[in-house]
């Protein structure tokens, strides 16, 4: 369990840099346009990811290897924060109001599902191309090298993308562009908005990391099912993430943001802990798959409407900064939860109960936030 905590801690390093990236790129996006910020951030993520493939090993350069690894994680997190601040804003600003909820789900949760699918494909190709010991030498490196593909495609595709029409309209009114969006976000006017937003994003982010984020570990360490079987469940889970996110996002258009988030919060309080309790001790693949996919569905559906909700909480001149920091600070804190789950579990056998307890706790926080937030539907203009 200590080694698991160390693994999740190395992942959390990236999360801690995401708010910094959101502050930098969000501020740029609010002052000079979402499109430029998105191009630089997407290209930066791809290059930083590809550089992992060129890492020297501990055997080659000693302790400097993990130091370089951590530095790259920090740089990667910086650019990922920029991607969130730009894409989470330009996506919902560029579609008609009726589709903003669905777009919110597609970007916020569906993107993670599509990314997981692509990662699964990259892993499959790498293991086939570099079987056995070759994977430990070159296979994993080629997986990281594939990150450069996203930089190339991102540059050419987003370079032809039109600027957000809502931001372009603001730009025409030159006097309304904020000179210091980050300072404005932490002002007396918007700091209370940020604090309430964090209740939702911490609860939503932790829900993701304790469900989809922890499920691979659970299947391997607790259930101990064969890797190929676990892979099939996880691939199915990626499709579930996409479906759940788009459905939940669109429901927020039909029912309203507050009502949808309240309903999802109530469901999560019951179902997320129940799923881990039902998965505890069972070796039946069908049972594991059912509860695992149900866990994945509601773990991701909960935060799917948050992108559009956060966008609607801020004026256009502050939207990229406000949305990016609200999302990334909350998800950075939520991303710490797997570390504490591992630390508080004396043995792997204790993980299911601890996961159930943490899922209940963060779902209560999510519900508390949903109770106090205002209805924001149609506030994005």
């Amino acid at each position: 369990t200590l080694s698991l905590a160390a693994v999740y801690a190395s992942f959390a390093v990236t999360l801690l840099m995401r708010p910094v990236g959101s502050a930098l790129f969000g501020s740029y996006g609010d002052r000079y346009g979402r499109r430029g910020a998105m191009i630089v951030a997407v290209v930066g993520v791809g290059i930083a990811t590809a550089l992992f493939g060129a890492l020297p090993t501990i055997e080659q350069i000693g302790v400097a290897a993990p130091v370089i690894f951590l530095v790259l994680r920090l740089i990667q997190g910086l650019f990922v924060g920029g991607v969130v601040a730009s894409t989470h804003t330009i996506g919902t600003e560029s579609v008609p109001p009726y589709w903003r909820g669905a777009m919110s789900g597609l970007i916020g949760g569906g993107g993670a599902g599509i990314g997981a699918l692509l990662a699964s494909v990259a892993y499959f190709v790498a293991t086939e191309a570099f079987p056995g010991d070759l994977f430990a030498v070159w296979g994993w490196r080629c997986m990281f090298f594939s990150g450069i593909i996203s930089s190339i495609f991102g540059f050419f595709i987003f370079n032809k993308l039109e600027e957000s029409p809502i931001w372009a309209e603001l730009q025409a009114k030159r006097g309304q562009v904020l000179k210091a969006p980050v300072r404005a976000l932490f002002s007396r006017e918007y700091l209370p908005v940020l604090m309430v937003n964090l209740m939702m994003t911490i609860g939503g982010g932790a829900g993701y990391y304790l469900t989809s984020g922890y499920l691979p570990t659970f299947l391997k360490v607790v259930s101990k099912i064969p890797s190929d079987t676990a892979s099939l469940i996880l691939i199915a889970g990626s499709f579930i993430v996409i479906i759940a996110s788009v459905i939940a996002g669109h429901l927020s258009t039909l029912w309203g943001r507050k009502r949808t988030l309240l309903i999802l919060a109530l469901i999560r309080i019951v179902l997320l802990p129940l799923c881990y309790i039902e998965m505890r001790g069972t070796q039946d693949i069908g049972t594991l798959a059912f509860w695992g996919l149900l866990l994945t569905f509601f773990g991701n559906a909960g935060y799917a409407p948050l992108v559009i909700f956060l966008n609607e909480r801020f004026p256009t001149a502050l939207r990229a900064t406000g949305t990016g920091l609200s999302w990334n600070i909350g998800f950075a804190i939520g991303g710490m939860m797997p570390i504490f789950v591992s630390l508080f579990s004396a043995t792997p056998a204790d993980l299911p109960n601890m996961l159930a307890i943490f899922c209940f706790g963060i779902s209560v926080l999510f519900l508390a936030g949903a109770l106090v937030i205002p209805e924001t539907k149609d506030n994005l203009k």
Side-chain angles (χ1 to χ4, degrees):
T1 56
L2 286 174
S3 66
L4 283 176
V7 169
Y8 284 110
S10 71
F11 177 75
V13 169
T14 306
L15 293 176
L16 292 175
M17 286 300 293
R18 290 187 186 184
V20 180
S22 285
L24 292 174
F25 286 90
S27 178
Y28 182 93
D30 282 328
R31 289 180 295 163
Y32 304 110
R34 327 302 196 197
R35 178 173 163 272
M38 183 171 63
I39 292 173
V40 175
V42 169
V43 171
V45 168
I47 293 174
T49 302
L51 286 175
F52 281 102
L55 275 173
T57 64
I58 291 178
E59 289 78 9
Q60 292 171 329
I61 64 170
V63 73
V67 171
I68 296 173
F69 168 81
L70 289 175
V71 170
L72 283 177
R73 292 292 283 174
L74 293 172
I75 295 172
Q76 187 185 45
L78 188 77
F79 284 116
V80 170
V83 170
V84 170
S86 53
T87 60
H88 282 33
T89 304
I90 195 172
T92 52
E93 285 182 339
S94 301
V95 296
Y98 184 75
W99 295 112
R100 286 174 182 164
M103 178 62 76
S104 171
L106 183 61
I107 296 173
I114 295 170
L117 276 176
L118 293 175
S120 298
V121 172
Y123 178 73
F124 176 79
V125 172
T127 53
E128 289 294 314
F130 301 94
D133 293 338
L134 281 176
F135 183 83
V137 180
W138 287 107
W140 68 272
R141 293 185 183 276
C142 289
M143 287 183 64
F144 282 108
F145 288 148
S146 67
I148 202 68
I149 298 174
S150 67
S151 290
I152 296 171
F153 277 96
F155 177 79
F156 286 104
I157 293 173
F158 295 138
N159 203 39
K160 296 181 179 180
L161 187 70
E162 293 183 3
E163 182 56 82
S164 159
I166 294 178
W167 185 86
E169 183 180 349
L170 174 73
Q171 188 186 36
K173 305 171 184 177
R174 294 183 181 275
Q176 296 186 24
V177 176
L178 294 175
K179 293 182 179 179
V182 176
R183 185 189 305 169
L185 179 64
F186 287 92
S187 67
R188 183 176 300 179
E189 180 180 2
Y190 288 106
L191 185 58
V193 176
L194 175 64
M195 292 298 103
V196 174
N197 289 353
L198 290 181
M199 295 176 69
M200 303 302 299
T201 54
I202 292 171
Y208 166 76
Y209 291 114
L210 292 174
T211 57
S212 290
Y214 214 97
L215 188 58
T217 298
F218 189 96
L219 295 176
K220 180 179 181 179
V221 176
V222 180
S223 301
K224 298 180 180 178
I225 63 175
S227 297
D228 55 347
T229 304
S231 296
L232 291 176
I233 294 176
L234 295 174
I235 290 173
S238 298
F239 285 104
I240 291 294
V241 170
I242 300 168
I243 295 169
S245 299
V246 174
I247 289 176
H250 191 56
L251 285 177
S252 73
T253 296
L254 302 178
W255 295 348
R257 318 301 184 205
K258 183 181 178 74
R259 182 183 178 190
T260 303
L261 289 167
L262 268 172
I263 292 172
L264 289 169
L266 290 169
I267 293 173
R268 280 160 51 109
I269 283 179
V270 177
L271 269 184
L272 297 191
L274 178 63
C275 287
Y276 275 122
I277 290 171
E278 291 295 330
M279 292 168 68
R280 178 184 57 193
T282 181
Q283 292 297 310
D284 181 72
I285 301 301
T287 302
L288 280 173
F290 173 79
W291 290 108
L293 294 179
L294 194 64
L295 182 82
T296 300
F297 188 98
F298 286 103
N300 290 273
Y303 67 86
L306 286 183
V307 172
I308 184 59
F309 165 75
L310 295 175
N311 276 207
E312 292 169 339
R313 292 280 271 165
F314 298 103
T316 302
L318 189 58
R319 187 166 295 131
T321 304
T323 297
L325 279 170
S326 295
W327 181 278
N328 278 311
I329 293 174
F331 270 67
I333 297 172
M336 300 292 178
M337 295 304 108
I339 302 174
F340 295 114
V341 166
S342 301
L343 288 175
F344 292 161
S345 301
T347 69
D350 298 318
L351 287 173
N353 290 338
M354 196 57 62
L355 283 164
I357 292 170
F358 270 75
C359 282
F360 178 80
I362 59 96
S363 296
V364 169
L365 176 66
F366 193 77
L367 176 61
L371 287 169
V372 300
I373 62 173
E375 176 55 63
T376 61
K377 184 184 173 185
D378 299 327
N379 284 1
L380 198 158
K381 297 176 182 178

